[in-house]
Amino acid sequence: MEGSSLVRFVFVLCLVSSSVLCLDDSDNNSTASSAVYIVTLKDPPCVHSSGRETDGSKHGLASTSSQIYRTLNRSASIIRVHDSLLRNVLRKENYIKLYSYHYLLNGFSAVITRKQADRLAARKEVHNVVLDFPVEKATTHTPQFLGLPRGAWPREGGSEYAGEGVVIGFIDTGIDPTHPSFSDQISGRSYPVPPRFTGVCEVATGFPPGSCNRKLVGARHFAESALSRGVLNSSQDDASPFDGDGHGTHTASIAAANHGVPVVVSGHHLGNASGMAPRAHVAIYKALYKRFGGFAADIIAAIDQAAQDGVDIINLSITPNRRPPGIATFLNPIDMALLSAVKAGIFVVQAAGNTGPAPKSMSSFSPWIFTVGATSHDRVYTNSIVLGNNLTISGAGLASGTRTMHKLVLAAHALSNGTTVMDAIYVGECQDSSSFDQKLVQGKILVCSYTVRFILGVSTIKQALVTAKNLTAAGLVFYMDPSAAGFQMSSTPMDIPGILISSSQDSQALLRYYNTSLSRDNASGKIVSSASVARIVGGMKPTYGITAPKVMYFSARGPDPEDDSFENADVMKPNLVAPGNSIWGAWSPLGIGTKDFQGERFAMESGTSMSAPHVTGIAALIKQKFPHFTPAAIGSALSTTASLSDRKGERIMAQRTVLNPDVSQTPATPFDMGSGFVNATAALDPGLIFDIGYNEYMKFLCSINGSSPVVLNYTGESCSAYNTSLAASDLNLPSVTIAKLVGTRTVLRWVTNIAATVTNETYTVGWTAPDSVSVKVSPAKFTIGKGQTRVLSLVFRAIKNVTTASFGRIGLFGNRGHVVNIPVTVIYKVAV
C-alpha cells in the first residue's frame, strides 16, 4: 500500500507476575475483512498549530479560559475535517469512525477494509495509514527508604502538602474509586481541583455518580478498538474506568496515594502506606483490560485525552514486547504522541520493561521519555520453621506462627481412599481438598510442593490455603520442587501459619528429616506413623537493613536499540532506577491481576511497573517546587542527583541471571541503572540542569536517514524547516552515550544554574574515563550565577580498538554543596 505502513507490536504491563492472553489480529490483513486503521493527516494537531515551540502553559500549574477556548475551537475544526474526509472518500460505504485524535496527533482511527484504507492513503491530505496493533497489560516502606519523610516532604511543608496542585495521568487498567488511598476526606486545609484541569468523570459500571472527588479528579475509559473487534465483554471486562485487574490501582497508589492509609492483608495489619506525592491529584485513563489487554488506537486516544485535559505528568507502566519496526524505534505512533505531550509541557515516565537481564532488552526507547528500571529495597519479610531435630530453616511468607510443635504430613501421604499420586499427578501442590483425607491432615502441618506451575500462575498459594483450611490443618509449608529451583519466591499473605522454603538445599533438608522419621510396615511397606514435628515461627514483622538497592534480574537493560536490527542508539537507557521489587500498593478487591491477592485491598507486587510510579511521584514534587520546569529539566534534576552507592556505601550491584540471581551479582553499569538510584531529596535541589526544547528533539529525529516523511506525518512539520540536524549524542542530555567512537569526538553540553541562592557557585570538573578512551572537559573550573548558562566541551578520543562497552563518569562539584553526575558510555572504539 503506497503511503502506508502496517505495524504490529504488543505492549505489556511491566508487572513480573502478570500473565495475559495475546490476541492475534493477523486475519485482519485480508482485503475483504474490516480492521481498525490509524490514519494521520499532514496538517498539524492542536499542540503544534501555534508554531514549533510552545511554552506548555496549560501544564504550568496555571491556564486561562481563552487558551482552553482556542484549543476547543481548534479541536472541533479538526474533527470536522476528519468527518468530511471520511464522507467524501467512503461515500455510501460502510465504515465506523472510532476516535478523532486532535490534540497530540491529527488523525483518526476507523473500522474500514484494506481497499478503503488504500483509498484514504492515496489522498493528498493523508500522510500515513497504520494497521492498529494489539496491546497487552505489561507502599508502606519505600517513602522511608527514599528519605521522603525527613527530606523531600519537609521541604514542601510535609506530607500534607507534597505534590499539591500537580495532576498525574495514568494510562493503565483503571482504578478502584472506593479505595481509601484516593479519598479526599482528609483533614486539613482546602484541597481544590486545579482549575486548569478540564477532565471528566465517567458514570458507568463500577463508577457511580460521585466516584471522583478532589483527589481522583478524572476517570475515563477507552475501548472503541476493542469493541470493534468483538473482544470486549461488558459484563466481564468492566467497560468503565473501574479496575478489574488491580494493576492500575496499584501503580496510581505508589505515585500519589494518601498518606498514612492502613495496610491490612489477610487480617494482618502491616503498617501504613503512602504515595510518593500524597497531595497530588490522580486522573485515570483506562485503555487496558483484564482479559485481553488492549489496542494502540485506544492507548493513543487515552494519551491524547490526558494531554488535552491538562495533566502535568503521564505514567506509562506499559512497554512493547518487541522493538517497533521501521527506520527507528523512536518513530512509532505512541512515542510520537508522547513527543507532542512533551511539547505541551507534560513529563512522561515509562517502565523499562521486565525482559532483563539480557543486554539490549530495553523496551522504552525515546530520549523525551523518562525510562525507569527496577531495584530492591531494604525491607524483607522473613519466616522460619523449627524442625524436631532443632534445625531452623528460613523462608518467605506473610503469616503468623504456630504456638507449639505440630506433626508434619506430606501431601502425598495424606490422600483419601481411592486417590493415588498417579490419579492426581499434581496432588503435591495441594490445590484440591477432595484429594485428601481430613483425618490424616487435621491438626498437622501440611507439606506441599512449590513447582514451576506456581510461577506460571496455574497453581496458587491462595488455593493451597483453601485446601489446608478445609482440612483443618494447623499450618502450611511449601518446599521448592526441582522444577522451580532458582526462582525467587515472593512473600505471600497467608491467613493461617505458613512458610515458603525458597532454598533447594533447605527443602531437601526438610524432606530428609521427614522421611527419616517415618515408620513403615515391614511386610507391606506402608507408612504406619511419623515422628516428624515442627513449629512455624511466623513472618509478620519485616527485617530492615539488608544491602540495597540492587538492580533486579527482571529489569530491562541497555544499550538502547536504535532500530529493529542490532544497531545501538546514542541514548542512555534506562534513565534511572527505583524500587520495584516486593512493593506494597493499593489493590482492587475484584482485581484478578494476581490470584494470591484476590479480595484484598492491598497487594505486594514486583516489576518495573512499580518502579516507574515511584519516579512519577517524585517528579510531581519537582513540578510543585519548579512549576515552570520543562520535562527535560525535571528529568535532568532526577538524573544528575542520582545515587551511585547502596545504603552501605558500596557500589550498587546488578543481578545477572534469572536463576539464583543473588549469586550472579556484579557492579551495575549505566546499561543496568542509567544515572543511578533515584535520590528524592537531592532532586529538589539539583543546582544545575540540562535542558532540551522540542526543537532539539525535532532536529534529532530529522537527522535519522529517511525520517523526513515520517516526522511530517506525526508532527505536521517539515524537516526542511530546521536548518541543522542534531545527532543523538549531541542532545543536551545529562549523560553521554557514543555507540561508535572513531578517532576523536567533541560533544557539547550546556548547564543552567537554577539554585535558590543569589550568590554565584563555583564548580570544579572531575572525571573517570571509560576504558580505552581519553576524556577532556573544558572549562575544568567555572563560576556560574543564578539563571546563567555555561557551555561545556567534552572531548573523547579512542586510544584502542575495542568492541566492548566501557563506562566512565563526569562530575561537577560545586563549592556550595551541589554535585552533578554525568554517566559516560562508549561502546565501539576505533583508534585513528
Side-chain angles (χ1 to χ4, degrees):
M1 169 163 56
E2 176 124 7
S4 76
S5 60
L6 302 184
V7 182
R8 181 186 296 118
F9 58 97
V10 178
F11 271 63
V12 293
L13 278 178
C14 299
L15 176 68
V16 165
S17 61
S18 64
S19 96
V20 191
L21 174 67
C22 176
L23 298 176
D24 188 353
D25 67 345
S26 57
D27 292 338
N28 288 335
N29 288 333
S30 67
T31 301
S33 63
S34 295
V36 178
Y37 287 83
I38 301 170
V39 180
T40 47
L41 277 62
K42 294 178 180 177
D43 286 341
C46 291
V47 77
H48 294 286
S49 60
S50 61
R52 286 199 300 272
E53 195 79 61
T54 67
D55 60 4
S57 56
K58 184 173 183 179
H59 308 275
L61 306 190
S63 64
T64 66
S65 58
S66 62
Q67 289 169 339
I68 295 172
Y69 175 79
R70 287 196 300 271
T71 298
L72 292 175
N73 192 44
R74 170 67 176 158
S75 296
S77 175
I78 290 175
I79 293 171
R80 288 195 295 270
V81 170
H82 296 168
D83 293 339
S84 176
L85 175 64
L86 283 166
R87 284 195 303 268
N88 291 336
V89 176
L90 308 180
R91 188 182 302 275
K92 296 183 180 181
E93 296 182 20
N94 293 326
Y95 66 89
I96 303 173
K97 190 186 81 168
L98 303 180
Y99 299 105
S100 274
Y101 310 123
H102 44 82
Y103 194 71
L104 300 179
L105 296 177
N106 180 0
F108 56 86
S109 55
V111 180
I112 53 179
T113 66
R114 175 65 178 270
K115 286 184 177 180
Q116 291 174 324
D118 287 342
R119 282 157 51 200
L120 282 169
R123 295 281 296 203
K124 63 180 181 180
E125 62 264 58
V126 172
H127 203 283
N128 204 18
V129 179
V130 178
L131 181 67
D132 189 19
F133 45 88
V135 301
E136 287 186 350
K137 306 188 315 290
T139 98
T140 58
H141 174 61
T142 47
Q144 286 75 19
F145 183 61
L146 294 172
L148 293 172
R150 295 185 179 182
W153 287 348
R155 293 192 176 197
E156 300 307 314
S159 61
E160 64 270 27
Y161 290 83
E164 183 174 279
V166 180
V167 181
I168 304 174
F170 295 87
I171 315 295
D172 217 298
T173 64
I175 198 168
D176 178 0
T178 68
H179 203 286
S181 293
F182 310 108
S183 169
D184 66 351
Q185 300 302 309
I186 49 180
S187 60
R189 52 198 186 78
S190 62
Y191 190 28
V193 177
R196 73 188 181 284
F197 182 76
T198 59
V200 301
C201 188
E202 290 184 7
V203 175
T205 304
F207 249 77
S211 292
C212 291
N213 53 40
R214 294 170 297 167
K215 175 71 173 182
L216 176 57
V217 295
R220 303 173 185 252
H221 86 287
F222 301 83
E224 295 301 320
S225 183
L227 282 167
S228 73
R229 300 163 186 264
V231 298
L232 188 141
N233 184 315
S234 297
S235 63
Q236 298 181 40
D237 295 307
D238 301 301
S240 80
F242 181 79
D243 184 9
D245 180 272
H247 186 271
T249 302
H250 199 272
T251 55
S253 72
I254 293 170
N258 289 328
H259 179 68
V261 179
V263 177
V264 178
V265 178
S266 294
H268 306 299
H269 185 271
L270 299 168
N272 296 321
S274 174
M276 302 299 106
R279 192 76 172 182
H281 302 275
V282 171
I284 298 301
Y285 301 87
K286 178 177 176 177
L288 298 159
Y289 295 82
K290 60 187 179 184
R291 286 193 313 114
F292 60 86
F295 299 91
D298 295 327
I299 286 182
I300 294 171
I303 295 170
D304 193 70
Q305 189 63 60
Q308 186 174 347
D309 288 348
V311 303
D312 300 293
I313 301 171
I314 289 177
N315 184 89
L316 284 167
S317 287
I318 58 174
T319 61
N321 74 337
R322 69 177 178 88
R323 300 169 190 171
I327 60 174
T329 54
F330 323 112
L331 294 167
N332 69 78
I334 292 180
D335 279 37
M336 292 305 294
L338 293 173
L339 173 60
S340 293
V342 167
K343 182 183 182 182
I346 301 170
F347 184 62
V348 179
V349 182
Q350 185 176 25
N354 298 327
T355 47
K360 297 188 183 181
S361 54
M362 185 54 52
S363 301
S364 176
F365 315 105
S366 298
W368 53 87
I369 298 171
F370 200 82
T371 304
V372 185
T375 71
S376 63
H377 53 89
D378 68 343
R379 181 199 61 205
V380 294
Y381 291 90
T382 57
N383 202 344
S384 61
I385 182 171
V386 181
L387 306 181
N389 61 359
N390 292 323
L391 178 64
T392 298
I393 296 174
S394 62
L398 292 165
S400 57
T402 58
R403 295 181 179 178
T404 61
M405 290 282 192
H406 292 267
K407 285 192 173 183
L408 297 171
V409 59
L410 193 67
H413 296 162
L415 301 181
S416 59
N417 289 334
T419 301
T420 67
V421 175
M422 293 304 296
D423 293 332
I425 189 170
Y426 302 114
V427 69
E429 298 171 0
C430 303
Q431 299 295 291
D432 184 3
S433 56
S434 66
S435 300
F436 301 97
D437 185 341
Q438 182 178 0
K439 294 179 181 179
L440 297 177
V441 179
Q442 185 175 9
K444 298 177 182 177
I445 295 175
L446 181 62
V447 181
C448 311
S449 60
Y450 186 93
T451 70
V452 71
R453 286 162 51 88
F454 285 86
I455 299 167
L456 297 175
V458 178
S459 299
T460 67
I461 302 294
K462 198 174 190 72
Q463 187 55 44
L465 286 166
V466 171
T467 297
K469 287 185 288 185
N470 287 342
L471 299 174
T472 61
L476 186 64
V477 174
F478 284 94
Y479 67 88
M480 180 170 280
D481 182 84
S483 66
F487 287 97
Q488 289 190 328
M489 288 182 172
S490 299
S491 295
T492 302
M494 302 182 185
D495 51 7
I496 64 172
I499 183 173
L500 289 75
I501 300 175
S502 52
S503 161
S504 297
Q505 292 79 7
D506 289 341
S507 296
Q508 291 302 312
L510 169 69
L511 294 176
R512 280 195 302 271
Y513 165 68
Y514 175 82
N515 288 326
T516 55
S517 302
L518 297 175
S519 297
R520 298 180 181 271
D521 179 77
N522 291 331
S524 65
K526 291 183 177 180
I527 299 171
V528 294
S529 65
S530 172
S532 59
V533 293
R535 175 173 63 89
I536 299 173
V537 174
M540 300 308 303
K541 294 183 178 181
T543 300
Y544 300 94
I546 64 170
T547 300
K550 61 185 174 187
V551 182
M552 298 305 298
Y553 66 91
F554 56 78
S555 186
R557 312 298 168 91
D560 186 18
E562 186 175 58
D563 49 39
D564 56 1
S565 69
F566 288 98
E567 294 298 317
N568 300 314
D570 289 343
V571 176
M572 186 187 73
K573 292 290 179 177
N575 296 86
L576 205 67
V577 288
N581 188 59
S582 299
I583 305 298
W584 281 117
W587 194 253
S588 173
L590 301 178
I592 64 170
T594 175
K595 294 181 180 179
D596 288 332
F597 289 94
Q598 280 185 294
E600 302 289 354
R601 304 222 73 173
F602 282 88
M604 181 185 286
E605 296 294 296
S606 297
T608 54
S609 276
M610 285 68 246
S611 54
H614 277 92
V615 172
T616 294
I618 295 169
L621 304 180
I622 299 173
K623 182 70 174 178
Q624 178 189 17
K625 182 175 181 179
F626 303 102
H628 299 295
F629 261 21
T630 66
I634 296 174
S636 173
L638 288 162
S639 297
T640 61
T641 59
S643 299
L644 300 176
S645 57
D646 61 26
R647 287 298 183 266
K648 295 183 178 180
E650 304 294 332
R651 294 180 64 180
I652 294 175
M653 304 296 282
Q655 297 176 336
R656 299 295 177 195
T657 59
V658 175
L659 298 179
N660 300 311
D662 283 335
V663 178
S664 61
Q665 295 180 148
T666 60
T669 73
F671 288 162
D672 306 311
M673 65 176 183
S675 291
F677 182 75
V678 64
N679 185 331
T681 302
L684 290 173
D685 184 21
L688 304 176
I689 60 166
F690 297 73
D691 208 355
I692 304 176
Y694 171 77
N695 286 354
E696 282 69 44
Y697 292 128
M698 285 292 290
K699 292 176 182 178
F700 153 65
L701 289 175
C702 289
S703 71
I704 299 171
N705 188 32
S707 66
S708 293
V710 187
V711 172
L712 179 64
N713 166 40
Y714 286 117
T715 67
E717 297 184 51
S718 172
C719 283
S720 62
Y722 294 88
N723 296 326
T724 59
S725 62
L726 201 64
S729 58
D730 291 320
L731 285 170
N732 195 40
L733 297 167
S735 61
V736 177
T737 301
I738 301 176
K740 188 173 184 179
L741 176 62
V742 179
T744 301
R745 176 79 179 274
T746 299
V747 300
L748 302 179
R749 293 292 187 266
W750 51 98
V751 293
T752 301
N753 185 356
I754 55 89
T757 178
V758 178
T759 55
N760 296 341
E761 186 164 9
T762 299
Y763 283 85
T764 302
V765 183
W767 59 85
T768 301
D771 184 55
S772 303
V773 177
S774 69
V775 178
K776 182 179 180 180
V777 182
S778 59
K781 188 174 184 178
F782 60 92
T783 299
I784 185 170
K786 182 180 179 181
Q788 292 183 341
T789 297
R790 291 296 300 266
V791 177
L792 302 178
S793 175
L794 317 178
V795 181
F796 302 92
R797 183 171 65 87
I799 55 180
K800 289 182 181 179
N801 295 331
V802 181
T803 59
T804 57
S806 53
F807 312 96
R809 295 270 169 186
I810 297 173
L812 310 179
F813 304 92
N815 65 344
R816 298 190 178 276
H818 295 109
V819 177
V820 178
N821 163 46
I822 308 169
V824 176
T825 300
V826 182
I827 301 176
Y828 192 86
K829 280 86 62 175
V830 179
V832 176

